[in-house]
Amino acid sequence: MDQNSRDRTNDFVVKIATVNGTGSASANGMLMQAMFRMGVPVSGKNVFPSNIQGLPTWYEIRVNKHGHLARSPNVDLMVAMNPKTYEQDIAEVRPGDAVLFDSSWPLEEELFRADVLFLGIPLSHMCVENFEGARARILMKNIAYVGAVAALLSIDLEVLEEMLEEKFSAKQHLMDSNNVAIRLGYDYAKEHFDGLLRVRIEAMDANRDSVLMTGNMAAALGCVYAGATVGAWYPITPATSLMDAFRGFCADLRKDPETGKNLYCIIQAEDELAAIGMVLGAGWMGARAFTPTSGAGLSLMNEFLGLAYYAEIPAVIFDVQRAGPSTGMPTRTQQGDFFTVAFASHGDTKHVLLFPGDPTECFYFAVKAFDLAERFQTPVFVVSDLDIGMNDWVCEKLEWDDAFVPDRGKVLSAEDLQEMDHFYRYLDVDGDGIPARSLPGVDPKGAYFTRGSGHDRFGRYTEDGDLYQDVVDRIARKIEGAAEALPPPEVRLANDATVGLVTVGSCRGAVLEAIELLAEDGMALDFLRITGFPFSSAVEEFLLSHDLNIVVEQNRDGQLKRLLMLETAVPKKKLASVLDYRGSPLGADVVVQGVRNQLGLVAVEAG
Amino acid sequence: MTQTAKPSVRHPGLKTNKLGLTQRDYEGTQSTLCAGCGHDSITAAIVQAFFELNIAPHRVAKLSGIGCSSKTPTYFLSEAHGFNSLHGRMPSIATGANAANGKLAYIGVSGDGDSLSIGLGQFCHAMRRNVNMLYMLENNGVYGLTKGQFSASADVGTKAKRGEENQMPPIDPASMALTLGASFVARSFSGDRKQLVPLIKAGLTHRGFALVDIISPCVTFNDHEGSTKSYAHTREHGHEVVETDFVPLLHEIQVEQDHGASTAVTMHDGSVVRFRSVDEHYDPTDRDAAYAHLKKLQAQGEVATGLLFIEPMSRDLHELENTVDEPLVEVPFEKLCPGSGVLAELQSHWR
Ligand SMILES: Cc1ncc(C[n+]2csc(CCOP(=O)(O)OP(=O)(O)O)c2C)c(N)n1
Ligand code: SF4
Ligand SMILES: [Mg+2]
């Protein structure tokens, strides 16, 4: 369908180009939040550089009444506030769409395009006239373009003013200047450009049961609710905000009411080797402990992850993925760590993984991860990415069942130990591959020696091949047993589809949207979203029951596809890939194109 | 090779401590180290110190890295949970364990390779955090387990078994610890049990990180002529700067009477560490003076031993982090989970 002919109310993309470190992030967030409060499905994606100040940064807001909130490249309004990127920003706009720019200085002649609407507002001039001081002028210019965009899109000014009121209620002078700035932009745009845009927003009621949150916030809150007491970490984007959030929640929610002391301990380690070591020490001691990290940190943790696997120590690791290899593009999203986490460390290992698809799942999977880690006495990875972790998503409100009892697994009490003839740490007494564990300090009978060196089922050092193998085979059985205990995959079936789209994590929205778009062209596709590893039988069944499974993921090497090849009975010829690993959140356009290519179809020009 | 259990024979006449345990109850499995290895003597001193301090073995966590030295936790306190971790990474395990449960006694055993090369970072940072633990650095100047390479503590000019001379300056854990702000720094010699046992006791009682650097000769790779970490060399060049006596809390008054002339430092729990300076005016509570003295002796080719420095009222990890008094592992779940009401309240702001 031609974009011009369709109703574009509540169906558009605004892209804002600014300079890093100028305070634009909070202004952009305000815009997105205002749209959220108007009850309209919306998403905001921050595209930012690995830099504190000075480099270009973008924020993409997509509004979609049908709830399709994956990234879309079809920009309707470009808010071009960074002269250094004018050229590329203006080139990105489609014919008939609009560019909002600061007309305090004239736009160079060659940047103009005849097929694009140029909306110039002298934002800097207005701010110089109205505010004192360089910093205030820069900050208020951001608020002024928020006002202008609000006018252009018919965002309810009252909603914005109410947000300012909440934010600055304690700081009258800030509230005053923000209100002035909003009005500057708003009034100018109303006066000069009213009704010029093809797109507009109209209040809906789609967000009644939703909240705005990032995956890292949600995961941190999951740690609080799961009863985690020890967190160790080393700062790394995009995982840092997870520990920041945990610290913030704990400061409010984890103070001993009588003494005011902390019911938690957060340690900023000297590196990730130490961070994971601390988590293992705490887990061995019986605390629920976790570490948030990203690819580079995981690489460092490898030796310890093997120890945790082999010595059977619970631990929860949040891997908020970013673009690798090496330092890669540290502020860009990717799903390139699947191999690293699935088989982390030397020797035979295999780890339990959870793949949340949005912040809501980050919360629930975080809680689940601690249960699984203790039940299976092994490290459990919650594998998200920068898009889920750091961007604000409109999410289903979180629920908590106050009857929840954490699953501590087979932890022996002093009484349990006293009743036993002998306690042997690595003896599987009930056939599920999971031995019982004792905690230090509880009872002399529980004492054993934890080691990463060869040990037999009785926990004794050994270099005897058979005794060694007995233990590693049991651990393999134990981990296989975890597959069915993980959250079930998400499956959506069309009628009589023979092709399945398989995906994971943050790709969910783009893939579901692509399925709808392709269905409009008469192509029926089933949907499978993997949520855990080792893969459950439901995953294998899905793959086997389709002629072709196209695995959509964000890495170069088709890591998820290869894992499916290795770990399920699906024949190689039933698997294909659609890959996008350029560092941006996935868009449906890429999936549609990729699927068409895979199926040998030529794109049909919409009429 | 599977480790051998020691026959458990109880002699009715064996002395018992306040818990009714004999010294044998503080032992572990049979050592598999080379006969005469310094590390085994240290193990014996550890056994004696825990026995004499009346510490219940199961209330101890014993941890180590990798190396011959790091094997020794199996040879003491068989009723304590043990953790033989990774090469150089014991401090992080100990830190996390201690964060989770600060009410156990912690003993970490490490080697000079383990602590001063691969694990130098973790060693330093555990000291900075003042993790409440006794840290035994069994220092032989070589990597024993990998067959005799020089370690970072090897002195300039010391000779390897096959004759090559070490050219690089050593990392001295004791002086480094002083500069890092460590709250307890001691040095001893595996061959001097009389000096070592009170140091271990004082270190265990100290609230904070207690480093005991112990010259512990490797008879197989570093006990020859020309080695500065041999038994002979250490006996000749060890220089006790202070005599240290550890006086547990209960005996305070009685001991007051015995040693009128020496200086005493009271520990967190009220125990007393009593010093008698061998070197004139040596003051083990003066960090800068301790450092200067150490360096002076080092320049003379002598190794200062004894309790070199103590800051008895230093703040440990838990005080620095303001954690609750009860061990975090014992806090009931209800106190940790804020519940559905709070969740709803929180989310009302996320709009
Ligand atoms: C990551 C890693 N690298 C290398 C080794 C091999 N390794 C084992 S023990 C050791 C040196 C031990 O020396 P030290 O800590 O001084 O202990 P000692 O045997 O002398 O008591 C080395 C290099 C290892 N275990 N792990
Ligand atoms: S090689 Fe050296 S350090 Fe290792 S056990 Fe033998 S004597 Fe001790
Ligand atoms: Mg050594």
Side-chain angles (χ1 to χ4, degrees), chain A residues 484-502:
Chain A
E484 302 302 328
L486 308 184
E490 182 183 0
V491 177
R492 296 191 181 199
L493 300 179
N495 278 335
D496 306 323
T498 55
V499 177
L501 289 197
V502 179

Side-chain angles (χ1 to χ4, degrees), chain A residues 281-503:
Chain A
W284 174 72
M285 194 48 72
R288 290 192 150 190
F290 70 97
T291 185
T293 191
S294 192
L298 267 180
S299 291
L300 285 185
M301 292 179 185
N302 263 263
E303 193 186 12
F304 254 139
L305 291 170
L307 173 73
Y309 171 85
Y310 187 33
E312 303 183 66
I313 303 168
V316 172
I317 300 106
F318 292 91
D319 175 23
V320 189
Q321 298 170 99
R322 66 187 208 186
S326 188
T327 305
M329 298 193 289
T331 58
R332 308 296 157 132
T333 196
Q334 211 175 61
Q335 299 174 316
D337 294 350
F338 297 159
F339 287 162
T340 301
V341 285
F343 306 111
S345 205
H346 56 280
D348 292 314
T349 67
K350 187 158 151 184
H351 299 290
V352 175
L353 316 178
L354 299 176
F355 301 109
D358 59 22
T360 307
E361 280 187 350
C362 286
F363 176 80
Y364 295 116
F365 285 14
V367 176
K368 186 85 189 164
F370 287 97
D371 275 6
L372 291 167
E374 289 209 283
R375 179 148 154 220
F376 293 97
Q377 301 172 17
T378 198
V380 173
F381 298 77
V382 182
V383 185
S384 70
D385 62 24
L386 182 143
D387 181 22
I388 298 177
M390 291 188 70
N391 284 320
D392 272 316
W393 290 48
V394 174
C395 299
E396 209 179 294
K397 219 177 261 174
L398 304 173
E399 305 266 352
W400 185 256
D401 176 4
D402 288 319
F404 174 83
V405 177
D407 181 356
R408 303 295 317 268
K410 296 177 190 169
V411 177
L412 299 172
S413 66
E415 297 73 50
D416 295 336
L417 285 161
Q418 281 306 326
E419 277 170 21
M420 300 172 85
D421 284 340
H422 274 291
F423 164 65
Y424 295 118
R425 172 66 179 93
Y426 297 113
L427 190 65
D428 175 15
V429 288
D430 46 15
D432 58 2
I434 309 172
R437 69 181 179 126
S438 63
L439 302 178
V442 171
D443 191 89
K445 269 179 97 176
Y448 71 97
F449 214 77
T450 303
R451 48 164 70 85
S453 45
H455 47 271
D456 66 11
R457 56 170 65 183
F458 303 109
R460 294 179 304 215
Y461 180 85
T462 189
E463 293 178 20
D464 177 309
D466 292 329
L467 300 180
Y468 156 85
Q469 190 175 323
D470 173 58
V471 171
V472 291
D473 285 351
R474 191 221 359 109
I475 296 176
R477 269 204 325 279
K478 175 184 83 168
I479 300 294
E480 283 319 310
E484 302 302 328
L486 308 184
E490 182 183 0
V491 177
R492 296 191 181 199
L493 300 179
N495 278 335
D496 306 323
T498 55
V499 177
L501 289 197
V502 179
T503 196

